[in-house]
Amino acid sequence: MLSLESIRIFMRAADTGSFSAAGRSLRLSPSVISYRIQTLEEHLGCLLLTRTTRRMNLTEAGRVFYDRCLDVAASVERAEKSVETQGAAPRGTLKVTAPLSLGRRVVAPLIPAFRERHAEADVHLRLSDHLLDLVQEAVDVAVRLSQMRDSTFTLRKVADVERMLCVSPGYLDAHPAPETPADLLDHSCLLLRFPGSEQFRWTLLDGDEAVTIPVSGRIDADDSDVLTEWALQGQGIVLKPVYEVAPYLADGRLVPVLADTPPTSVTLGVVYPSRKMLPNRAKTFVEMTTEALRGYVGGQLGLVGKRVVR
């Protein structure tokens, strides 16, 4: 007879595409994951997953079985809910990721409040301006500030975020202000750089036309807060979401440049795997995070007379 644990292991391996990622998510060794799936395949008499050196994929039989397992998982969830009291706490582990700035200011402060309400839920928070592979890292909830492209995840949109180029008055005292996007080639630009980063190519809107400039600078970092500090110290021009630099715009420590050709906007949202069954703990955290982000961004934009656009 099949066990729910074996089904859970198989589904996690299929979702993440590797035994290692599944093991990290479930706190099991890859060898245990491999053994449980092999046992499951022997029981069913068919191959569920094909293995390559890079990734695993579902076989045709595996896809059929996975779809039926979704129904099983949904049935188990309904059964659990039928015996839960109204105030029952979400249980299990929640893996969350967010950009460094928003993670420090908004997401991390939510964790104690979440744990206070749901003491039986464990939370693992990973902050990085590098866009993590949500499948490989087995992430349950991610805060993303980007041009959303991955349709395999569900997006809870927070806002469309305007961005701008800004600089300290001290920098402009020593350098002529850029008048066209091409002038950026002659300036020190502060870049968010990490493996796979595209932040060294800034795309600006010149009317209806998008112009991409391969900017450069003498210093870069993989932490967006560091770039803000450098900009305040007069080290160069920085590309930032408006809400992130609103306090410095309000007090004059930073000023906009190339306001008529702004950078393309991005979407701020909370994303999670597109699957029929989202754990209660993830649903709760998504709601809390979405509300907190809207409040934070709205408050910041209010400093410069702007509002959140959803």
Side-chain angles (χ1 to χ4, degrees), residues 104-280:
R104 292 177 181 129
R105 292 166 176 76
V106 181
V107 181
L110 286 179
I111 305 299
F114 177 79
R115 289 278 291 110
E116 188 171 322
R117 290 167 54 182
H118 308 299
E120 297 181 35
D122 298 334
V123 182
H124 301 319
L125 176 63
R126 183 173 178 185
L127 303 183
S128 176
D129 284 329
H130 184 183
L131 294 181
L132 302 180
D133 186 319
L134 304 185
V135 174
Q136 287 294 323
E137 298 291 337
V139 172
D140 297 298
V141 179
V143 175
R144 281 283 165 92
L145 183 65
S146 63
Q147 293 172 333
M148 305 291 182
R149 302 188 184 101
D150 196 333
S151 61
T152 63
F153 289 83
T154 297
L155 167 67
R156 178 71 63 85
K157 182 178 174 181
V158 174
D160 289 323
V161 175
E162 293 181 14
R163 299 187 296 172
M164 70 185 312
L165 299 177
C166 54
V167 68
S168 73
Y171 180 87
L172 293 181
D173 288 341
H175 305 83
E179 297 181 358
T180 69
D183 289 343
L184 291 172
L185 296 173
D186 298 323
H187 282 269
S188 175
C189 297
L190 304 174
L191 306 181
L192 186 66
R193 192 184 291 273
F194 47 77
S197 171
E198 300 178 359
Q199 299 298 323
F200 56 90
R201 296 173 63 85
W202 289 355
T203 300
L204 311 182
L205 295 176
D206 189 358
D208 295 331
E209 183 181 359
V211 179
T212 300
I213 306 296
V215 295
S216 62
R218 302 297 294 272
I219 54 177
D220 59 58
D222 61 357
D223 183 330
S224 62
D225 280 347
V226 170
L227 302 186
T228 302
E229 289 299 320
W230 285 342
L232 290 167
Q233 295 167 17
Q235 294 299 309
I237 299 173
V238 69
L239 188 159
K240 282 286 177 174
V242 175
Y243 74 81
E244 198 167 305
V245 291
Y248 311 117
L249 297 171
D251 65 17
R253 295 173 64 192
L254 291 177
V255 295
V257 293
L258 294 177
D260 293 334
T261 54
T264 52
S265 62
V266 291
T267 298
L268 173 61
V270 182
V271 299
Y272 47 89
S274 296
R275 54 193 181 199
K276 294 181 181 179
M277 185 186 70
L278 185 67
N280 283 342

Side-chain angles (χ1 to χ4, degrees), residues 158-160 293-299 301-302 306-310:
V158 174
D160 289 323
L293 287 170
R294 283 178 179 155
Y296 174 77
V297 172
L301 291 178
K306 292 182 177 289
R307 63 182 181 85
V308 173
V309 178
R310 299 183 185 178

Side-chain angles (χ1 to χ4, degrees), residues 22-29 93 122 124:
R24 287 194 298 271
S25 172
L26 299 173
R27 298 184 180 181
L28 297 172
S29 68
T93 299
D122 298 334
H124 301 319

